[in-house]
Amino acid sequence: MEQRAAPGTAHTGDGTAGDGDVRRRVPRTDLVLRDPRLSAAVRRLGAPVVKAAVRRAQEAARGGGIAPEQVPDTAVALLPGTAGGLRPVLNATGVLLHTNLGRAPLSAAARRAVQEAAGPTDVELDLTTGVRARRGRSALAALHERVPSAGAVHVVNNGAAALVLAATVLAAGREIVVSRGEMVEIGDGFRLPDLLVSTGARLREVGTTNRTTAADYAEAIGPDTGFVLKVHPSNFRVTGFTRAAEAAELTGLGVPVVADIGSGLLAPHPALPDEPDADTQLRAGAALVTASGDKLLGGPQCGLLLGDRELIRALARHPLARALRVDKLTLAALEATLTGPPTPTALALTARPAALMTRAGRLASALAADGVDAHAVESAATVGGGGAPGVTLPSAALSLPEPYAAALRTGDVPVVGRLEAGRCLLDLRAVPEEDDDHLARAVRSARDAAEGRR
């Protein structure tokens, strides 16, 4: 007598149940969530994130990709490391301050400071007196100590915000005198002229693209002038028949000089002799310097304002300053950056090419022993992040076949390199030495996927 399949179950003809039976054997969500690993993950990541991983595992079982008994293990494997969507990345591009990778990586000290500040803090409270205190006073004091030539300092949420606040306070409804050669685009389609005009100021352009003299500024100054703006063209260079007036040449024109140095260098750096710094600009007579905190300073995203005491006070008390203020996590990271050990950016800037080549050779030898087509090669790194245009830093890289680039980007710990002459280069200047083992493991993990693409 022919054996009939149970209702809703496909018969395979070999005496085993078909897809319908498999689907019925997929465990319910509430049962899967009783797994201690997943119940702990709910407390760490939140129920929606864990349930989403469980649903993906259940769908894989219903589709025949895994056995129903594997749903809990698969769900655990699918859990993200954190509840946030951002993934840690190893920056092997050779660009120290890669905008798409978040620019400056924070130091270990800054990361610990952020973690400590995540709970209740005394950000605006004097614990001795029990009354309200100046917000972020210790971070501001640390910044002022690093640039004592400033009369006072203030911090907002990014470099563009610092310039917007200055333009609003000093030149809303008035003119800003600026060189045509310094009307830059700051990235992603945002242009400096548009940013300044949005504050209600009018721009008075002087000079030409390649040459602007102090006399050009002087002729444009009038009773309607709010300030003279000097902008460091931080992401390009104009060479040849050029001339640019320095801040020191403009300080006697009867109006404030605002210097937007962009990259956040607080004092001269021997590796970057042509990069403007806050201390030099202030000593040259600039009334105000604006800069970013997440570039050469090596800190969190924020905007720095340094300069005349009364001007800083006016900026800090303007209603717009409230909308542009930074949170306690940024203040904590900034202070630790200013007072703590050298930042990853500072270490990358001063890394010795010979030491980088030694690391690359060691990695290449270990990977070649495992059958990976890996070689140590000389490389050239750049600062990036709108700093030190045209400056190259001798470096060393791990050279791999081109298909490794995509395989490394999509690994468990993404590694982003660059393609050059048909090879994937993993430049080590922006990779801390303590991450070399992680880099090697990522390459080994990517090997099968990369070799399959060849």
Side-chain angles (χ1 to χ4, degrees), residues 44 46 120 141 173 188 195 233 238 273 293 300 318 357 360 367 442:
R44 179 170 57 89
D188 197 26
L195 189 73
V238 178
H318 191 277
M357 182 57 74
L367 291 169

Side-chain angles (χ1 to χ4, degrees), residues 35-169:
D35 185 297
R37 298 169 297 173
L38 294 170
S39 58
V42 168
R43 295 189 294 271
R44 179 170 57 89
L45 301 173
V49 172
V50 178
K51 287 181 179 178
V54 171
R55 285 194 294 269
R56 289 173 61 193
Q58 290 169 326
E59 288 301 316
R62 294 184 184 107
I66 61 172
E69 295 77 16
Q70 294 177 300
V71 167
D73 289 342
T74 302
V76 171
L78 290 171
L79 290 173
T82 68
L86 297 178
R87 298 180 63 187
V89 172
L90 282 180
N91 175 17
T93 62
V95 180
L96 273 55
L97 302 170
H98 200 300
T99 297
N100 301 135
L101 299 180
R103 292 184 180 161
L106 294 180
S107 66
R111 296 182 192 191
R112 286 193 296 271
V114 168
Q115 188 173 14
E116 290 293 326
T121 70
D122 60 344
V123 64
E124 286 188 41
L125 180 67
D126 186 324
L127 295 175
T128 301
T129 63
V131 300
R132 185 174 184 143
R134 186 185 184 194
R135 182 180 180 85
R137 56 204 175 278
S138 58
L140 294 172
L143 177 59
H144 199 183
E145 185 173 348
R146 287 283 298 272
V147 191
S149 55
V153 301
H154 186 62
V155 179
V156 291
N157 58 3
N158 61 31
L163 195 52
V164 162
L165 183 58
T168 301
V169 172

